[in-house]
Amino acid sequence: MKGRRIRIHVEGAVQGVGFRPFVYRQAVALGLSGWVRNRGSSVEIEAQGLSSAELVDRIRDSHPPHASITSVHAEDLAAIEEQAFRILPSRPGEDVITVVPDLATCPDCRREVMDPTSRYYRYPFTNCSQCGPRYSIVERVPYDRSNTTMRGFAMCTDCQREYDDPLNRRYHAQPTACPTCGPRLSLQGNTTSGDPLQLATEALRDGQIVAIKGLGGFQLLVDASRSEPVERLRERKRRPHKPLAVMVRDTPHARDLCFVETPEARLLESAGAPIVLLTRRQGRLPEVLAPDTDTLGVMLPVTPLHLLLTQGFAGPLVCTSGNLSDEPICTDNEEAVERLGGIADLFLLHDRPIRRALDDSVARVIDGAPQLLRMARGFAPLSLPVREGRQALAAGSHLKNTLSLCDGGRIIVGQHNGDLENSLSVDAMQQTGTDLQEFFGVGPAVIACDLHPDYASSMYAREKELPTVAVQHHVSHALACMLEHGLSEVLAVVWDGSGLGPDGTIWGGEFLLVDRTPSGVVWRRIALLKQFRLPGGDATSKETSRCLAGMMWEVPDLKGSVPNPARQLLERELNSPVCSSAGRLFDAMAALTGLCAVQTYEGQGASRLEAAAVAEQSEGYHLSLAGGVLDWCDLLLAAHRDATSGVPAGEISARFHAGLASGILSVAMDSARKSVVLTGGCFQNRLLTELAVRRLREAGFDPVLARRIPPNDGGISPGQLLAAMEGVSNVSGHTG
Ligand code: ZN
Ligand code: ZN
Ligand code: FE
């Protein structure tokens, strides 16, 4: 076979997604000879024949859906004698450490699982080269079956035939399995014998709580359409109010419960299959699922197991992490039965081990595009190319911890490890650290951590006996967003609950100019929310009235009304740290409006405040900007007057949000920067974010939101890492 011979280099995320079989099929269809193989992180192809150029077009235009191509380069070679097209193994030492996140069941596999004539009919572990477990089961690279937790399952002859056939969609699908040779379900906690799936479905109909072993860890399921079982789950899980997600069988069922626009449907149905925050239709499901918000987290079946359960149950199911309160998610059968024994009535187990714990990811659509709020199953690990950088590790934040590392050519962001509030979570974070370094073969030369020395993550960084770089929390937030969008010069509006500032006060309402220059990152705070004291320190994060008291203390007309015990603390400046936190401002407003006195989870007051806001936009309360201080005294005075004269909470909330958005714009006007990054936990608030985006855009700015890296503290570690790699310095402005 002669004709033109070309060599093609394909760069991008092209491994572990059925790319080589795709090339093979196209080459065979075009009558070409040659070969394809993985090389480094790219794919290399030599193709010869009359239609070899057509192959390049097909690679560009119709590559597998989970591959993302950054470049295709072709060059001419001399033709050789050759008969067939082959898939070659990669050469030793050229395996690159790329691992694809776990992928939700693809439409082809879904069809087979529902097809009574298929050998995969009702098989809960069906997968193919386009779907199934990946990162959750890989023990080491290269990504071969023998290096996954599937190594204990010897393939039957039918599976082996499919695995070996380049024209089959299970060609080299490492986790492939069937009812004859693959993992099996079992039930614990029920003495009745029978089909585990059937019995679990019946238990759910009975209102029982069922723990199931999902893809990246255990999940707790219960009937979502009745209050009583949900309340029982909340009580046992010690989670009184925090929103619970539900799983439904498909998008039309999601539409029954919530408003689903096209980008939201796309997100729900994506291979990452995250929990998607949707605006819910009133009266469809019990309030107890998410009593503080008008949204509901909804996800579609991730695996055939979930598909079979949701189809069998035929209604929405609560689907929440298999853990107690703030503990990490369980992954091991025995551990789950022990730790979740007090919560679940029944355990639906299986015998495919989970290598790493991956909680469900959370995402939403904002300003027309997806935004990740928790990066875990289906999205982790995230890899972002960087210019030459040394090997480094970043220990992340205290809440919503993630770890990131640089292997020299890219930044890899690990999965959500949770809040480091208990020893189990700290253990999980440390395990992730060891795992990431081993897995990606990184021996860090430097470790980045938060400026706060007491975070468990900062202590973890210091234990390593390597040089550490402590990076200011809000600078890290800003850098994560700049990294993601490739920006080098921004005004970053970083608003969140708290982070230690270099001046020893608590920051959280910051306006930073951040530049990535050839000699490193340079930042300067140009403005901040007016500072106030938090009488009672840590206690203020639960008792919102203390935040309010601290703010009233700053306003001469309100100072006299500050009650005890806050008054005594403030008078003596006892246990009353100074903050500029926007998050605490929301807490204070939740107290002022009577919407939330005591918070059972972080951000509860802010959630209620946002949900209460009336849609009709009223004039915002006024914030004044002078000397780099965005002053909320007028705002508080006006809101206080409104509250005492009986203005509804929803009206006050709307004016509060609108006032903040105008305040952000006023600082942007002063900054002379076109790109304005809006990040930090407060920008999980949709109303605030959308108002600020609109105001900024109308005034000619380019507002920038976190998209693939979360705006909350899950994004701290990549920002820290960038600072440590590029170097960071603070050019003192007038506000420090
Ligand atoms: Zn599939
Ligand atoms: Zn088999
Ligand atoms: Fe933060």
Side-chain angles (χ1 to χ4, degrees):
M1 200 188 315
K2 284 277 172 103
R4 185 176 167 212
R5 184 175 188 85
I6 53 173
R7 178 184 291 142
I8 311 167
H9 275 285
V10 189
E11 302 273 354
V14 287
Q15 294 184 5
V17 288
F19 199 82
R20 288 173 305 154
F22 158 77
V23 171
Y24 176 90
R25 283 193 292 275
Q26 299 303 320
V28 169
L30 292 168
L32 307 177
S33 66
W35 48 261
V36 56
R37 75 169 162 220
N38 288 337
R39 183 172 187 194
S41 61
S42 57
V43 166
E44 189 178 37
I45 302 153
E46 285 191 17
Q48 178 173 321
L50 296 172
S51 330
S52 54
E54 168 73 14
L55 182 62
V56 180
D57 293 338
R58 292 198 183 181
I59 288 170
R60 279 208 187 96
D61 302 337
S62 50
H63 57 78
H66 304 310
S68 76
I69 293 178
T70 51
S71 79
V72 182
H73 176 78
E75 58 185 335
D76 280 306
L77 298 176
I80 57 168
E81 267 326 308
E82 190 180 47
Q83 293 311 315
F85 197 92
R86 290 166 303 153
I87 297 177
L88 300 182
S90 42
R91 288 183 291 204
E94 284 199 342
D95 287 311
V96 149
I97 308 164
T98 40
V99 164
V100 175
D102 298 293
L103 302 164
T105 309
C106 73
D108 287 334
C109 287
R110 272 206 304 269
R111 259 191 301 278
E112 280 177 325
V113 170
M114 291 301 146
D115 174 7
T117 66
S118 166
R119 71 189 193 92
Y120 295 99
Y121 181 54
R122 290 185 64 79
Y123 183 55
F125 306 97
T126 304
N127 65 79
C128 74
S129 65
Q130 294 301 301
C131 75
R134 296 286 187 278
Y135 195 49
S136 63
I137 61 162
V138 190
E139 292 170 323
R140 66 192 77 82
V141 286
Y143 175 57
D144 289 328
R145 189 180 179 95
S146 57
N147 289 335
T148 71
T149 63
M150 282 301 291
R151 73 189 138 78
F153 299 92
M155 275 186 264
C156 68
T157 49
D158 286 337
C159 284
Q160 189 72 52
R161 195 181 322 115
E162 294 185 344
Y163 181 90
D164 290 336
D165 176 6
L167 293 177
N168 192 287
R169 65 185 177 83
R170 294 201 170 83
Y171 174 73
H172 282 201
Q174 307 304 343
T176 192
C178 78
T180 310
C181 64
R184 280 170 203 205
L185 290 177
S186 62
L187 209 58
Q188 188 154 332
N190 187 326
T191 47
T192 330
S193 61
D195 175 27
L197 205 51
Q198 200 68 45
L199 291 169
T201 311
E202 279 163 23
L204 288 168
R205 281 203 203 103
D206 270 1
Q208 292 186 47
I209 298 168
V210 178
I212 71 160
K213 189 178 186 180
L215 199 49
F218 275 78
Q219 293 161 318
L220 292 162
L221 268 48
V222 80
D223 185 354
S225 63
R226 290 186 282 156
S227 302
E228 189 277 324
V230 180
E231 275 158 12
R232 190 151 27 86
L233 173 65
R234 283 203 176 281
E235 200 171 303
R236 291 192 193 168
K237 203 172 140 73
R238 289 183 222 152
R239 178 168 162 150
H241 305 115
K242 204 172 171 183
L244 294 167
V246 303
M247 184 178 272
V248 292
R249 57 199 274 190
D250 52 25
T251 307
H253 282 81
R255 287 212 163 90
D256 287 345
L257 308 177
C258 299
F259 298 95
V260 183
E261 306 289 338
T262 308
E264 283 147 346
R266 243 181 251 136
L267 197 50
L268 278 169
E269 293 164 6
S270 69
I275 294 169
V276 181
L277 300 185
L278 301 169
T279 304
R280 72 173 185 253
R281 297 180 193 274
Q282 289 308 311
R284 300 294 165 97
L285 287 178
E287 283 293 307
V288 63
L289 288 169
D292 302 319
T293 77
D294 52 6
T295 62
L296 185 68
V298 179
M299 73 175 136
L300 300 187
V302 179
T303 69
L305 176 61
H306 294 104
L307 181 67
L308 293 163
L309 277 168
T310 50
Q311 296 232 330
F313 183 75
L317 287 165
V318 168
C319 183
T320 184
S321 311
N323 58 7
L324 182 68
S325 200
D326 292 325
E327 290 181 359
I329 187 170
C330 296
T331 54
D332 178 75
N333 286 353
E334 272 133 62
E335 178 206 7
V337 171
E338 190 190 311
R339 276 174 54 201
L340 305 178
I343 304 175
D345 300 301
L346 199 63
F347 289 83
L348 186 56
L349 308 171
H350 63 73
D351 53 357
R352 183 180 69 203
I354 296 172
R355 174 60 184 83
R356 44 184 82 64
L358 291 154
D359 220 320
D360 291 313
S361 292
V362 181
R364 65 164 170 187
V365 172
I366 188 153
D367 194 33
Q371 177 181 56
L372 212 51
L373 297 174
R374 185 205 283 162
M375 194 181 70
R377 193 239 336 121
F379 293 88
L382 171 70
S383 141
L384 300 158
V386 284
R387 281 168 295 159
E388 280 299 304
R390 40 184 187 158
Q391 298 208 333
L393 177 73
S397 191
H398 181 68
L399 298 175
K400 300 183 167 68
N401 177 272
T402 61
L403 301 177
S404 292
L405 59 139
C406 179
D407 66 357
R410 59 196 166 153
I411 283 180
I412 296 147
V413 187
Q415 70 273 27
H416 169 81
N417 296 317
D419 300 344
L420 307 180
E421 301 273 48
N422 57 65
S423 63
L424 284 173
S425 301
V426 175
D427 288 351
M429 179 267 292
Q430 292 178 343
Q431 272 170 30
T432 302
T434 308
D435 177 48
L436 283 169
Q437 289 173 71
E438 281 177 10
F439 193 86
F440 289 99
V442 170
V446 60
I447 303 192
C449 64
D450 196 274
L451 200 58
H452 200 304
D454 300 337
Y455 286 176
S457 53
S458 304
M459 292 187 234
Y460 166 75
R462 286 197 304 270
E463 278 164 16
K464 297 281 166 195
E465 293 178 353
L466 283 166
T468 56
V469 178
V471 186
Q472 203 280 324
H473 187 92
H474 303 90
V475 175
S476 304
H477 270 304
L479 285 172
C481 203
M482 293 171 75
L483 166 70
E484 183 188 342
H485 294 282
L487 297 170
S488 55
E489 215 182 71
V490 305
L491 166 68
V493 183
V494 191
W495 284 14
D496 65 2
S498 70
L500 182 63
D503 58 358
T505 68
I506 298 168
W507 289 21
E510 315 310 313
F511 297 86
L512 313 173
L513 293 186
V514 188
D515 295 345
R516 291 170 68 191
T517 75
S519 52
V521 173
V522 180
W523 67 275
R524 181 159 71 97
R525 176 160 77 165
I526 57 157
L528 72 159
L529 279 173
K530 179 182 169 61
Q531 293 177 315
F532 60 102
R533 286 183 180 274
L534 295 169
D538 286 345
T540 51
S541 62
K542 289 211 166 63
E543 293 173 49
T544 56
S545 62
R546 288 176 183 261
C547 295
L548 180 59
M551 286 177 71
M552 287 167 68
W553 194 251
E554 302 298 322
V555 183
D557 287 354
L558 299 174
K559 194 170 179 174
S561 323
V562 172
N564 277 325
R567 160 171 293 275
Q568 288 162 335
L569 292 170
L570 289 163
E571 268 167 356
R572 286 179 242 157
E573 297 187 353
L574 243 158
N575 189 23
S576 300
V578 172
C579 81
S580 53
S581 164
R584 296 294 94 82
L585 217 63
F586 278 87
D587 294 344
M589 292 306 288
L592 180 75
T593 50
L595 287 166
C596 185
V598 179
Q599 308 196 88
T600 64
Y601 64 92
E602 196 211 2
Q604 185 176 17
S607 289
R608 288 189 184 172
L609 199 63
E610 183 188 358
V614 291
E616 274 312 304
Q617 211 35 254
S618 34
E619 187 79 354
Y621 294 128
H622 180 250
L623 287 95
S624 58
L625 178 65
V629 175
L630 190 58
D631 189 328
W632 39 257
C633 283
D634 291 347
L635 174 153
L636 187 65
L637 208 52
H640 195 270
R641 202 181 308 121
D642 281 353
T644 38
S645 63
V647 174
E651 190 69 41
I652 297 174
S653 171
R655 290 178 193 169
F656 171 68
H657 282 86
L660 293 180
S662 301
I664 288 170
L665 178 61
S666 65
V667 179
M669 299 290 247
D670 261 14
S671 77
R673 288 287 166 97
K674 192 158 169 63
S675 296
V676 181
V677 162
L678 301 173
T679 191
C682 290
F683 290 101
Q684 295 176 108
N685 179 312
R686 171 183 293 277
L687 181 57
L688 172 69
T689 308
E690 290 184 342
L691 283 171
V693 163
R694 200 186 312 149
R695 294 279 161 86
L696 288 165
R697 216 168 260 153
E698 281 166 4
F701 294 95
D702 283 338
V704 181
L705 301 182
R707 295 291 178 190
R708 293 202 291 161
I709 299 176
N712 56 46
D713 284 3
I716 288 293
S717 68
Q720 287 173 348
L721 194 63
L722 196 67
M725 286 161 55
E726 298 188 351
V728 61
S729 57
N730 176 12
V731 179
S732 295
H734 53 92
T735 51

